[in-house]
Amino acid sequence: MSPLSPLLLMPTALITGVTGQDGSYLAELLLAKGYRVVGVVRRSSTTPYERIAHLVDHIELISADLLDQTSLTDAVAAVQPDEIYNLAAQSFVQTSWTQPVLTGEFTALGVTRMLEAMRKAAPNSRFYQASSSEQFGKVVETPQRESTPFYPRSPYGVAKVYGHWITVNYRESFDLFAVSGILFNHESPRRGLEFVTRKISDGVARIKHGLADELRLGNLDARRDWGFAGDYVEAMWRMLQSDTPDDYVIGTGETYSVRQFCEAAFGAVGLDWQTYVKQDERFFRPAEVDLLVADPSKAKEQLGWTPSVSFEELVRRMVEADMDRWAARTR
């Protein structure tokens, strides 16, 4: 008997949101583990592949859209993935207030469309849904664990709750291997500039390079559990290697305020944050989420997962990356 082709032994992963922060780190991880990686991208006149520019020669791309059921089902049927990672969404909380319906279509109903595509075209594959700590919103207990009731405080959080529960529903109704990772805030140098952590690290770099003289932010007292995105995609993968599907909270178990993030970021380049940071009411949310902090003990015990990058190291990496980026632009 002839040996099996390497392609037959190589597991296949399909990633929606492959061009995003998490998608790029996940694609790197899976490639390192010997996967065939297929990324779902929307048809566009532009190609926003900055985060995966170093990967495009090593992964495959297939066109589909979370708003279009047929394209998703066709993509899953064509790829026949062993694992599906649904990371695509309208993921910026502030935008969900100005585009709540679109957020619902992508972030809530898009999950149902992906599950339907899997159920019809590849029911034996394993499905990961990107849930969010924003589902806890106005928290009813601290820290937050898998059993903590949801109380979302934004259209984004509401949409994520729908995506979470429809995943549970499909798992229980159709016996699918479908899990949700309730990920707390996870950042990196690849984070979008609209997110407060990257807004801060980019602002620090611009100020240090003499390109700006202030940084305007909203609520400095909001506290978050911040970790490194590269650590968190490892948790996603581990969830799909389990014997039985389940849901997991992923976070560091430590909480820091936006104010502390500013202090660490400006301190990384020898500046006093209080000289440059100005509060601006335009950046306050209509309904604020004041405190989020994870209890990741279940993930540690059952998945063997622990974060490897500290808060201080995360902030330093982000600031250094933006310092280098602006230095290259100003040469």
Side-chain angles (χ1 to χ4, degrees):
M1 181 181 296
S2 61
L4 290 173
S5 162
L7 288 176
L8 296 178
L9 298 174
M10 182 185 297
T12 297
L14 183 69
I15 304 173
T16 72
V18 72
T19 61
Q21 170 190 253
D22 291 6
S24 65
Y25 281 111
L26 179 61
E28 287 178 347
L29 175 76
L30 296 177
L31 287 171
K33 292 182 179 295
Y35 277 67
R36 171 194 174 211
V37 176
V38 183
V40 174
V41 293
R42 301 174 67 195
R43 288 195 181 278
S44 172
S45 58
T46 60
T47 54
Y49 298 162
E50 178 182 355
R51 295 185 184 94
I52 59 168
H54 61 300
L55 301 176
V56 290
D57 292 334
H58 306 285
I59 66 176
E60 301 170 40
L61 299 176
I62 189 168
S63 293
D65 195 314
L66 283 184
L67 301 184
D68 180 59
Q69 183 67 65
T70 300
S71 68
L72 294 175
T73 304
D74 288 348
V76 173
V79 174
Q80 286 297 300
D82 298 287
E83 298 171 5
I84 300 171
Y85 296 87
N86 186 42
L87 309 185
Q90 191 300 100
S91 59
F92 187 43
V93 174
Q94 197 70 31
T95 296
S96 77
W97 289 105
T98 56
Q99 297 183 309
V101 175
L102 184 67
T103 298
E105 286 286 354
F106 274 115
T107 308
L109 290 177
V111 185
T112 309
R113 296 185 187 105
M114 280 304 305
L115 286 163
E116 272 293 285
M118 171 183 165
R119 185 174 74 88
K120 292 179 178 179
N124 294 321
S125 61
R126 297 187 169 203
F127 182 90
Y128 172 85
Q129 165 59 17
S131 287
S132 168
S133 60
E134 288 286 334
Q135 294 166 203
F136 296 120
K138 188 177 180 180
V139 298
V140 298
E141 66 175 356
T142 299
Q144 294 86 53
R145 52 184 63 87
E146 291 79 7
S147 59
T148 302
F150 297 137
Y151 196 145
R153 297 270 281 173
S154 66
Y156 170 79
V158 172
K160 279 293 186 181
V161 169
Y162 176 97
H164 180 91
W165 281 117
I166 199 66
T167 301
V168 173
N169 186 263
Y170 268 64
R171 177 171 73 216
E172 296 178 350
S173 300
F174 302 114
D175 195 29
L176 299 178
F177 194 109
V179 308
S180 285
I182 308 173
L183 272 56
F184 280 63
N185 293 66
H186 46 290
E187 317 297 321
S188 77
R190 300 178 193 173
R191 186 53 124 169
L193 286 166
E194 69 272 22
F195 289 85
V196 67
T197 52
R198 184 71 193 289
K199 183 178 180 180
I200 293 169
S201 65
D202 179 69
V204 167
R206 294 176 71 243
I207 289 169
K208 186 66 175 179
H209 282 294
L211 302 172
D213 54 16
E214 67 176 18
L215 174 62
R216 292 188 170 270
L217 299 172
N219 183 10
L220 299 179
D221 296 317
R223 301 182 68 87
R224 295 292 185 270
D225 183 330
W226 276 302
F228 173 53
D231 285 339
Y232 287 41
V233 299
E234 170 81 21
M236 299 176 189
W237 175 79
R238 288 182 180 235
M239 288 179 213
L240 293 194
Q241 313 315 307
S242 300
D243 292 332
T244 55
D246 205 349
D247 306 322
Y248 296 89
V249 161
I250 303 297
T252 69
E254 299 178 353
T255 183
Y256 296 88
S257 66
V258 175
R259 190 186 313 276
Q260 288 172 299
F261 199 105
C262 288
E263 183 178 7
F266 279 90
V269 295
L271 296 177
D272 180 358
W273 72 274
Q274 296 180 82
T275 304
Y276 303 98
V277 173
K278 313 295 181 186
Q279 282 196 290
D280 190 325
E281 291 185 359
R282 291 177 301 165
F283 301 115
F284 280 78
R285 296 181 182 182
E288 186 57 78
V289 175
D290 296 314
L291 171 63
L292 292 173
V293 58
D295 175 1
S297 55
K298 180 179 174 182
K300 293 180 180 180
E301 292 166 7
Q302 297 187 14
L303 302 177
W305 178 85
T306 55
S308 68
V309 178
S310 69
F311 172 76
E312 293 77 11
E313 173 66 12
L314 171 64
V315 176
R316 185 188 64 78
R317 289 186 189 184
M318 294 180 68
V319 171
E320 287 183 354
D322 279 319
M323 285 290 291
D324 291 344
R325 184 171 61 88
W326 280 109
R329 289 189 177 188
T330 56
R331 285 194 185 108

